[in-house]
């Protein structure tokens, strides 16, 4: 007889199965990613329905199998990230973030640090922090789950920690301006983008007080991260293509800034609480 198990979980994705059922992929805190078979989900007043909506966290109770499909019998402590669910822009970034998780780890791979990191990212996004920057931080730190560990903290040649830097594939990390000549094929990235990428590699969501970056800086960060992913990771997610396309029409649907709001182009700051630790595993922020 199978024993019932319960675990916190985050909905990654779902799809219809047969006429009335669904297959739901959940990132569980205690057992990693798992595929669940949910029977009769399209029935009216199905009690499990709110817990398997996109961008939902809950405690899922059921039969967790190491092979094949698992089953949910009940849920409790359902928490919906409502702002993400209701906003097409936030849901675009949220979907991409969860797609990265799906691509970065194997099924049933226990990874509570990544679970909590993902949880924090969705929560900050849901609270109204800049979804683009929250996603950038996530992208930089989850590189480790793809087996990539760039040197961000110091020049990979001499150990310098201050000044302008660029990224060098040859040296596997950032190099200071004095050594740019050693690698003609360095990224030639905007130094501001490299500055923020270095910060994002070690920052904790819990320590961020506010995020305000110029649009041109955001674009430079996006270009740098895209270059890193193209070279080292090589995945091409539909959700990433969507957020790239979304940038071209988001100004049409987003409401105009209220009077008195400072234009985004005049701000550039990531406010951080003091004594932010530099972690060997940046996602280890329990």
């Amino acid at each position: 007889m199978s024993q019932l198990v319960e675990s916190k979980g985050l909905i990654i994705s779902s799809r219809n199965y047969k006429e009335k059922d669904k297959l739901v992929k959940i990132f569980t805190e205690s057992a990693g990613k798992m595929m669940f078979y949910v029977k009769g989900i399209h029935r009216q007043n199905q009690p499990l329905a709110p817990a398997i909506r996109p961008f939902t966290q809950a405690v899922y109770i059921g039969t967790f199998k190491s092979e094949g499909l698992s089953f949910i019998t009940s849920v409790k402590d359902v928490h919906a990230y409502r702002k993400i669910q209701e906003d097409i822009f936030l849901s675009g970034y949220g979907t991409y973030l969860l797609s990265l998780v799906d691509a970065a780890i194997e099924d049933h791979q226990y990874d509570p640090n990544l679970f909590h990191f993902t949880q924090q990212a969705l929560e900050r996004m849901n609270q109204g922090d800049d979804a683009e920057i929250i996603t950038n931080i996530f992208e930089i730190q989850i590189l480790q789950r793809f087996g990539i560990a760039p040197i961000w903290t110091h020049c990979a040649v001499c150990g310098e920690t201050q000044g302008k830097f660029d990224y060098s594939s040859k040296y596997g990390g950032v190099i200071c301006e004095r050594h740019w000549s050693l690698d003609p094929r360095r990224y030639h990235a905007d130094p501001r983008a490299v500055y923020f990428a270095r910060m994002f590699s070690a920052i904790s969501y819990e320590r961020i007080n506010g995020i305000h970056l110029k649009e041109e800086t955001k674009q430079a960060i996006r270009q740098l991260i895209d270059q890193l992913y193209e070279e080292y990771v090589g995945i091409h997610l539909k959700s990433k293509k969507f957020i790239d396309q979304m940038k071209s029409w988001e100004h049409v649907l987003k409401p105009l800034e209220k009077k008195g709001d400072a234009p985004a182009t005049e701000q550039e700051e990531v406010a951080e609480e003091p004594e932010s630790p530099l972690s060997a595993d940046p996602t280890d922020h329990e």
Side-chain angles (χ1 to χ4, degrees), residues 17 23 35-37 63-65 67-71:
Y17 183 72
L23 294 177
M35 186 68 80
F36 290 84
Y37 176 62
T63 305
F64 290 18
K65 295 186 176 182
E67 294 183 0
L69 297 176
S70 298
F71 299 88

Side-chain angles (χ1 to χ4, degrees), residues 41-247:
I41 194 61
H42 296 299
R43 292 199 311 265
Q44 192 172 7
N45 299 322
Q46 163 57 273
L48 297 180
I52 64 169
R53 288 189 64 196
F55 311 113
T56 299
Q57 173 189 291
V59 174
Y60 298 91
I61 303 165
T63 305
F64 290 18
K65 295 186 176 182
S66 58
E67 294 183 0
L69 297 176
S70 298
F71 299 88
I72 301 172
T73 56
S74 61
V75 296
K76 63 182 182 181
D77 301 334
V78 179
H79 171 64
Y81 297 102
R82 296 205 179 277
K83 287 187 178 179
I84 301 178
Q85 290 176 346
E86 296 167 359
D87 187 304
I88 188 172
F89 302 104
L90 294 181
S91 64
Y93 285 109
T95 300
Y96 172 52
L97 186 148
L98 292 169
S99 297
L100 281 176
V101 171
D102 197 11
I105 59 173
E106 299 294 330
D107 290 350
H108 308 288
Q109 181 178 330
Y110 176 65
D111 197 337
N113 289 335
L114 182 57
F115 177 87
H116 292 300
F117 187 59
T118 307
Q119 190 180 41
Q120 289 172 349
L122 292 172
E123 192 62 48
R124 295 304 295 254
M125 205 178 289
N126 196 61
Q127 290 173 1
D129 284 323
D130 190 316
E132 192 171 355
I133 301 305
I134 293 297
T135 301
N136 292 158
I137 294 170
F138 197 88
E139 289 173 297
I140 291 288
Q141 295 196 21
I142 204 175
L143 278 172
Q144 292 193 3
R145 297 308 191 275
F146 290 104
I148 312 303
I151 299 169
W152 293 110
T153 55
H154 57 273
C155 174
V157 177
C158 69
E160 178 62 71
T161 60
Q162 303 295 321
K164 291 183 179 181
F165 292 84
D166 196 3
Y167 189 84
S168 166
S169 303
K170 178 180 178 180
Y171 290 98
V174 295
I175 55 175
C176 67
E177 190 173 13
R178 286 186 300 162
H179 295 105
W180 286 356
S181 61
L182 296 178
D183 185 7
R185 301 186 68 180
R186 59 189 171 85
Y187 277 20
H188 297 275
D190 188 321
R192 292 172 300 174
V194 180
Y195 169 83
F196 283 109
R198 295 180 67 213
M199 178 189 294
F200 293 168
S201 72
I203 201 169
S204 164
Y205 287 128
E206 295 172 346
R207 292 185 176 274
I208 298 174
N209 285 330
I211 305 172
H212 307 285
L213 296 185
K214 295 177 182 178
E215 189 58 38
E216 61 189 56
T217 302
K218 287 184 180 183
Q219 292 174 3
I221 294 169
R222 177 76 272 153
Q223 185 176 356
L224 170 60
I225 294 176
D226 283 351
Q227 202 167 348
L228 284 166
Y229 269 74
E230 187 63 32
E231 177 174 3
Y232 290 111
V233 183
I235 58 174
H236 300 90
L237 302 172
K238 289 182 180 178
S239 53
K240 173 57 167 59
K241 185 178 180 181
F242 176 80
I243 64 172
D244 287 344
Q245 293 173 338
M246 186 172 69
K247 293 294 290 181

